Amino acid sequence: MTIPLRTLNDGNTLPAIGFGTYRLRGEEAITATGSAIENGYRLIDTALNYGNEKEVGEAIRRSSVPREELFVTTKLPGRFHGLNETFEGFRESLEHLGLDYVDLFLIHWPLPRVDKYVDSWRAMIRLREEGVIRSIGVSNFTPAHLERVIAETDVVPAVNQVELHPYFPQGELRRFHAEHGIQTESWTPLARKKSPFTNEKIREVADAHGVTPAQAILRWHVQLGTIPIPKASTAERQRENIDIFGFELTDEQVESISSLEEGRLWGGDPDTNEEF
Ligand SMILES: NC(=O)c1ccc[n+]([C@@H]2O[C@H](COP(=O)([O-])OP(=O)(O)OC[C@H]3O[C@@H](n4cnc5c(N)ncnc54)[C@H](OP(=O)(O)O)[C@@H]3O)[C@@H](O)[C@H]2O)c1
């Protein structure tokens, strides 16, 4: 299966869909990540705080796919915000993964009360210059956080990974990203907390194309221009989720899914949510 590529503002490319690993632990993390790679995923999303970087690294080593064909993302947790702390946190991730470099490193949450995300960003710029990170980005940043980072460093994040699904399409933030050349990534793209698979509008769109509701939702992400990173523990679901490049939703169908907007499902307001 050929997955289309997206080009970031630093010229690097990444696949239009990735594999999320949150909640996968231990042996299951190795098996599920390995199976995702076998089933065609090349973008793998992990984080220091998921406690599975070692397993993700092990799955990569066991896989027959060359390292350079994979796009590995990990994230800096709150306890490592600050200039030197970021170097330290990144080294820890790299050591866990057992890799020489990561393709994308993100600040996991902005933690505005701590007020050190700009220092972390400066550290990440240095790490990118050293070649141990290919692309740098952020996660859960609002336009205000992005504007500050850009104003203080002149370096625009390549990616902002945010909560985005049919119940929270993030129209305003996506427009801001488009204006600034920032690629949107969608976390919890299937809205797992409020399983939308029985929703009538989503079923209608899925039925019109003879696909599953999950495929209709993931295709919606692709057509919005965002990169979804669904997590699935079985090979069957992994194959289902990546098989979304053989059909196209009409503008009306995209609109119909977007009209389900309600708001955040997790209460993870980036201005107040703190994770260390
Ligand atoms: N940056 C952040 O702050 C942040 C926050 C949250 C998540 N993330 C990232 O985003 C990734 C995805 O988010 P998520 O894991 O929360 O939610 P998700 O990918 O939207 O949903 C995952 C859930 O949906 C189920 N599922 C997957 N494919 C399915 C299908 N085809 N049919 C039916 N059910 C299906 C999975 O079941 P099974 O696992 O049982 O197959 C799992 O319970 C995470 O893994 C993580 O990498 C980032």
Side-chain angles (χ1 to χ4, degrees), residues 13-53:
T13 57
L14 79 173
I17 184 168
F19 181 69
T21 65
Y22 178 49
R23 281 172 201 265
L24 287 170
R25 302 294 285 264
E27 200 53 43
E28 192 196 14
I30 302 178
T31 320
T33 307
S35 138
I37 296 172
E38 226 168 83
N39 283 301
Y41 292 83
R42 294 294 177 263
L43 189 177
I44 312 292
D45 185 84
T46 180
L48 188 58
N49 271 1
Y50 297 172
N52 63 14
E53 286 174 316

Short mmCIF file of all heavy atoms in Angstrom, two decimals, residues 13-53:
data_model
loop_
_atom_site.label_atom_id
_atom_site.label_comp_id
_atom_site.label_asym_id
_atom_site.label_seq_id
_atom_site.Cartn_x
_atom_site.Cartn_y
_atom_site.Cartn_z
N THR A 13 9.48 15.21 4.62
CA THR A 13 8.16 14.65 4.31
C THR A 13 7.78 13.63 5.37
O THR A 13 8.64 13.03 6.03
CB THR A 13 8.15 13.97 2.94
OG1 THR A 13 9.15 12.96 2.93
CG2 THR A 13 8.38 14.95 1.81
N LEU A 14 6.47 13.42 5.51
CA LEU A 14 5.97 12.39 6.43
C LEU A 14 4.67 11.83 5.86
O LEU A 14 4.00 12.48 5.06
CB LEU A 14 5.79 12.93 7.85
CG LEU A 14 4.57 13.77 8.21
CD1 LEU A 14 4.55 14.03 9.71
CD2 LEU A 14 4.55 15.06 7.47
N PRO A 15 4.32 10.59 6.25
CA PRO A 15 3.13 9.96 5.71
C PRO A 15 1.84 10.67 6.16
O PRO A 15 1.79 11.28 7.24
CB PRO A 15 3.17 8.55 6.31
CG PRO A 15 4.58 8.35 6.77
CD PRO A 15 5.08 9.70 7.14
N ALA A 16 0.80 10.55 5.32
CA ALA A 16 -0.47 11.23 5.57
C ALA A 16 -1.30 10.58 6.68
O ALA A 16 -2.34 11.09 7.07
CB ALA A 16 -1.29 11.29 4.28
N ILE A 17 -0.85 9.42 7.19
CA ILE A 17 -1.49 8.79 8.35
C ILE A 17 -0.38 8.09 9.15
O ILE A 17 0.61 7.64 8.59
CB ILE A 17 -2.59 7.79 7.91
CG1 ILE A 17 -3.34 7.22 9.13
CG2 ILE A 17 -2.04 6.66 7.05
CD1 ILE A 17 -4.61 6.44 8.78
N GLY A 18 -0.58 8.04 10.47
CA GLY A 18 0.43 7.40 11.31
C GLY A 18 -0.22 6.44 12.29
O GLY A 18 -1.44 6.27 12.30
N PHE A 19 0.63 5.84 13.13
CA PHE A 19 0.16 4.87 14.12
C PHE A 19 0.40 5.43 15.52
O PHE A 19 1.52 5.77 15.88
CB PHE A 19 0.91 3.54 13.93
CG PHE A 19 0.48 2.48 14.90
CD1 PHE A 19 -0.78 1.92 14.80
CD2 PHE A 19 1.33 2.04 15.92
CE1 PHE A 19 -1.21 0.93 15.71
CE2 PHE A 19 0.92 1.07 16.82
CZ PHE A 19 -0.35 0.51 16.71
N GLY A 20 -0.68 5.51 16.31
CA GLY A 20 -0.56 6.01 17.69
C GLY A 20 -0.32 4.86 18.65
O GLY A 20 -0.87 3.77 18.48
N THR A 21 0.48 5.11 19.68
CA THR A 21 0.85 4.00 20.58
C THR A 21 0.44 4.21 22.03
O THR A 21 0.82 3.42 22.90
CB THR A 21 2.38 3.75 20.54
OG1 THR A 21 3.03 4.91 21.09
CG2 THR A 21 2.87 3.47 19.14
N TYR A 22 -0.31 5.29 22.30
CA TYR A 22 -0.71 5.57 23.68
C TYR A 22 -1.48 4.38 24.27
O TYR A 22 -2.36 3.84 23.59
CB TYR A 22 -1.57 6.83 23.71
CG TYR A 22 -2.08 7.23 25.07
CD1 TYR A 22 -1.23 7.29 26.16
CD2 TYR A 22 -3.42 7.56 25.25
CE1 TYR A 22 -1.70 7.66 27.40
CE2 TYR A 22 -3.90 7.93 26.49
CZ TYR A 22 -3.04 7.97 27.56
OH TYR A 22 -3.52 8.33 28.80
N ARG A 23 -1.15 3.99 25.47
CA ARG A 23 -1.76 2.87 26.20
C ARG A 23 -1.22 1.52 25.80
O ARG A 23 -1.60 0.51 26.39
CB ARG A 23 -3.27 2.82 26.04
CG ARG A 23 -3.96 3.83 26.94
CD ARG A 23 -5.43 3.89 26.62
NE ARG A 23 -5.99 5.15 27.10
CZ ARG A 23 -6.59 5.29 28.27
NH1 ARG A 23 -6.74 4.28 29.06
NH2 ARG A 23 -7.05 6.46 28.65
N LEU A 24 -0.40 1.43 24.79
CA LEU A 24 0.22 0.14 24.46
C LEU A 24 1.45 0.00 25.36
O LEU A 24 2.31 0.89 25.40
CB LEU A 24 0.65 0.09 22.98
CG LEU A 24 -0.48 -0.04 21.96
CD1 LEU A 24 0.05 0.19 20.54
CD2 LEU A 24 -1.16 -1.40 22.06
N ARG A 25 1.52 -1.09 26.10
CA ARG A 25 2.65 -1.27 27.02
C ARG A 25 3.23 -2.67 26.85
O ARG A 25 2.55 -3.59 26.39
CB ARG A 25 2.18 -1.11 28.47
CG ARG A 25 1.53 0.22 28.79
CD ARG A 25 2.50 1.39 28.69
NE ARG A 25 3.41 1.46 29.80
CZ ARG A 25 3.24 2.21 30.90
NH1 ARG A 25 2.18 2.97 31.00
NH2 ARG A 25 4.13 2.22 31.86
N GLY A 26 4.48 -2.81 27.28
CA GLY A 26 5.13 -4.11 27.35
C GLY A 26 5.10 -4.86 26.03
O GLY A 26 5.23 -4.27 24.95
N GLU A 27 4.91 -6.17 26.15
CA GLU A 27 4.96 -7.05 24.97
C GLU A 27 3.93 -6.62 23.92
O GLU A 27 4.19 -6.67 22.72
CB GLU A 27 4.72 -8.50 25.43
CG GLU A 27 5.21 -9.57 24.46
CD GLU A 27 6.68 -9.41 24.03
OE1 GLU A 27 7.54 -9.12 24.90
OE2 GLU A 27 6.94 -9.58 22.84
N GLU A 28 2.76 -6.17 24.40
CA GLU A 28 1.71 -5.77 23.44
C GLU A 28 2.17 -4.57 22.59
O GLU A 28 1.83 -4.47 21.41
CB GLU A 28 0.40 -5.40 24.16
CG GLU A 28 -0.74 -5.29 23.18
CD GLU A 28 -2.00 -4.57 23.70
OE1 GLU A 28 -1.93 -3.90 24.76
OE2 GLU A 28 -3.03 -4.66 23.03
N ALA A 29 2.95 -3.69 23.21
CA ALA A 29 3.45 -2.52 22.47
C ALA A 29 4.41 -2.98 21.36
O ALA A 29 4.39 -2.44 20.25
CB ALA A 29 4.13 -1.54 23.41
N ILE A 30 5.25 -3.97 21.68
CA ILE A 30 6.20 -4.47 20.66
C ILE A 30 5.42 -5.13 19.52
O ILE A 30 5.64 -4.85 18.34
CB ILE A 30 7.20 -5.48 21.27
CG1 ILE A 30 7.98 -4.85 22.42
CG2 ILE A 30 8.16 -6.00 20.19
CD1 ILE A 30 8.96 -5.78 23.13
N THR A 31 4.49 -6.01 19.89
CA THR A 31 3.74 -6.76 18.87
C THR A 31 2.88 -5.82 18.02
O THR A 31 2.89 -5.92 16.79
CB THR A 31 2.78 -7.76 19.55
OG1 THR A 31 3.47 -8.32 20.66
CG2 THR A 31 2.37 -8.86 18.61
N ALA A 32 2.13 -4.93 18.66
CA ALA A 32 1.22 -4.06 17.91
C ALA A 32 2.00 -3.09 17.02
O ALA A 32 1.61 -2.85 15.86
CB ALA A 32 0.31 -3.29 18.87
N THR A 33 3.09 -2.53 17.53
CA THR A 33 3.88 -1.60 16.71
C THR A 33 4.52 -2.36 15.55
O THR A 33 4.53 -1.89 14.40
CB THR A 33 4.95 -0.88 17.56
OG1 THR A 33 4.30 -0.28 18.69
CG2 THR A 33 5.68 0.18 16.77
N GLY A 34 5.03 -3.54 15.83
CA GLY A 34 5.64 -4.37 14.78
C GLY A 34 4.62 -4.70 13.70
O GLY A 34 4.90 -4.60 12.50
N SER A 35 3.43 -5.05 14.14
CA SER A 35 2.38 -5.39 13.18
C SER A 35 1.95 -4.16 12.38
O SER A 35 1.67 -4.25 11.19
CB SER A 35 1.23 -6.07 13.94
OG SER A 35 0.00 -5.63 13.51
N ALA A 36 1.92 -3.00 13.03
CA ALA A 36 1.57 -1.77 12.30
C ALA A 36 2.60 -1.51 11.19
O ALA A 36 2.23 -1.19 10.06
CB ALA A 36 1.53 -0.59 13.27
N ILE A 37 3.87 -1.69 11.51
CA ILE A 37 4.91 -1.46 10.49
C ILE A 37 4.73 -2.46 9.35
O ILE A 37 4.76 -2.10 8.17
CB ILE A 37 6.33 -1.55 11.12
CG1 ILE A 37 6.53 -0.42 12.15
CG2 ILE A 37 7.41 -1.49 10.04
CD1 ILE A 37 7.80 -0.52 12.98
N GLU A 38 4.48 -3.71 9.73
CA GLU A 38 4.28 -4.76 8.72
C GLU A 38 3.08 -4.42 7.82
O GLU A 38 3.06 -4.76 6.64
CB GLU A 38 3.96 -6.06 9.44
CG GLU A 38 4.70 -7.28 8.95
CD GLU A 38 4.48 -8.38 9.97
OE1 GLU A 38 3.43 -9.03 9.88
OE2 GLU A 38 5.34 -8.53 10.85
N ASN A 39 2.08 -3.78 8.41
CA ASN A 39 0.87 -3.46 7.66
C ASN A 39 0.93 -2.12 6.94
O ASN A 39 -0.08 -1.62 6.47
CB ASN A 39 -0.35 -3.52 8.58
CG ASN A 39 -0.75 -4.97 8.84
OD1 ASN A 39 -1.05 -5.70 7.90
ND2 ASN A 39 -0.70 -5.39 10.09
N GLY A 40 2.11 -1.53 6.89
CA GLY A 40 2.30 -0.36 6.03
C GLY A 40 2.47 0.97 6.71
O GLY A 40 2.73 1.98 6.07
N TYR A 41 2.31 1.02 8.04
CA TYR A 41 2.51 2.31 8.74
C TYR A 41 4.00 2.63 8.76
O TYR A 41 4.82 1.76 9.04
CB TYR A 41 1.99 2.25 10.17
CG TYR A 41 0.49 2.13 10.28
CD1 TYR A 41 -0.13 0.89 10.17
CD2 TYR A 41 -0.31 3.24 10.51
CE1 TYR A 41 -1.51 0.77 10.26
CE2 TYR A 41 -1.68 3.13 10.62
CZ TYR A 41 -2.28 1.89 10.50
OH TYR A 41 -3.65 1.77 10.59
N ARG A 42 4.31 3.88 8.50
CA ARG A 42 5.71 4.32 8.56
C ARG A 42 5.90 5.42 9.59
O ARG A 42 7.01 5.68 10.03
CB ARG A 42 6.17 4.80 7.17
CG ARG A 42 6.21 3.66 6.12
CD ARG A 42 7.29 2.63 6.49
NE ARG A 42 7.32 1.49 5.59
CZ ARG A 42 6.70 0.32 5.84
NH1 ARG A 42 5.98 0.16 6.95
NH2 ARG A 42 6.81 -0.68 5.01
N LEU A 43 4.83 6.11 9.94
CA LEU A 43 4.88 7.15 10.97
C LEU A 43 4.44 6.50 12.29
O LEU A 43 3.32 6.01 12.40
CB LEU A 43 3.94 8.29 10.59
CG LEU A 43 3.93 9.62 11.36
CD1 LEU A 43 2.95 10.58 10.71
CD2 LEU A 43 3.66 9.52 12.83
N ILE A 44 5.31 6.51 13.28
CA ILE A 44 5.00 5.93 14.59
C ILE A 44 5.04 7.05 15.62
O ILE A 44 6.02 7.77 15.72
CB ILE A 44 6.03 4.85 15.00
CG1 ILE A 44 6.29 3.84 13.86
CG2 ILE A 44 5.62 4.13 16.29
CD1 ILE A 44 5.14 2.95 13.52
N ASP A 45 3.96 7.15 16.41
CA ASP A 45 3.85 8.24 17.39
C ASP A 45 3.94 7.69 18.82
O ASP A 45 3.12 6.89 19.23
CB ASP A 45 2.50 8.95 17.22
CG ASP A 45 2.37 10.16 18.12
OD1 ASP A 45 2.85 11.24 17.72
OD2 ASP A 45 1.82 10.03 19.23
N THR A 46 4.97 8.14 19.55
CA THR A 46 5.09 7.73 20.95
C THR A 46 5.39 8.98 21.78
O THR A 46 5.31 10.11 21.29
CB THR A 46 6.17 6.63 21.12
OG1 THR A 46 6.24 6.27 22.50
CG2 THR A 46 7.54 7.06 20.65
N ALA A 47 5.69 8.79 23.07
CA ALA A 47 6.04 9.91 23.96
C ALA A 47 6.75 9.31 25.16
O ALA A 47 6.47 8.16 25.54
CB ALA A 47 4.78 10.65 24.41
N LEU A 48 7.63 10.10 25.77
CA LEU A 48 8.30 9.63 26.98
C LEU A 48 7.26 9.19 28.00
O LEU A 48 7.38 8.16 28.65
CB LEU A 48 9.19 10.75 27.52
CG LEU A 48 10.13 10.39 28.68
CD1 LEU A 48 11.07 9.26 28.32
CD2 LEU A 48 10.93 11.60 29.11
N ASN A 49 6.19 9.98 28.11
CA ASN A 49 5.18 9.69 29.13
C ASN A 49 4.28 8.49 28.80
O ASN A 49 3.50 8.09 29.65
CB ASN A 49 4.31 10.93 29.38
CG ASN A 49 4.91 11.79 30.48
OD1 ASN A 49 5.97 11.46 31.01
ND2 ASN A 49 4.26 12.89 30.82
N TYR A 50 4.38 7.92 27.61
CA TYR A 50 3.58 6.72 27.32
C TYR A 50 4.25 5.47 27.93
O TYR A 50 3.64 4.41 27.96
CB TYR A 50 3.40 6.49 25.81
CG TYR A 50 2.63 7.58 25.08
CD1 TYR A 50 2.55 7.58 23.70
CD2 TYR A 50 1.98 8.60 25.77
CE1 TYR A 50 1.85 8.57 23.02
CE2 TYR A 50 1.30 9.60 25.10
CZ TYR A 50 1.24 9.57 23.72
OH TYR A 50 0.56 10.56 23.04
N GLY A 51 5.51 5.63 28.34
CA GLY A 51 6.21 4.50 28.95
C GLY A 51 6.39 3.34 27.99
O GLY A 51 6.45 2.18 28.43
N ASN A 52 6.46 3.61 26.70
CA ASN A 52 6.63 2.50 25.75
C ASN A 52 7.70 2.78 24.69
O ASN A 52 7.76 2.08 23.67
CB ASN A 52 5.29 2.15 25.08
CG ASN A 52 4.73 3.31 24.26
OD1 ASN A 52 5.44 4.27 23.97
ND2 ASN A 52 3.47 3.22 23.87
N GLU A 53 8.54 3.79 24.92
CA GLU A 53 9.56 4.09 23.90
C GLU A 53 10.51 2.90 23.70
O GLU A 53 10.94 2.63 22.58
CB GLU A 53 10.37 5.32 24.31
CG GLU A 53 9.62 6.64 24.16
CD GLU A 53 10.41 7.80 24.71
OE1 GLU A 53 10.99 7.66 25.81
OE2 GLU A 53 10.46 8.86 24.06
#
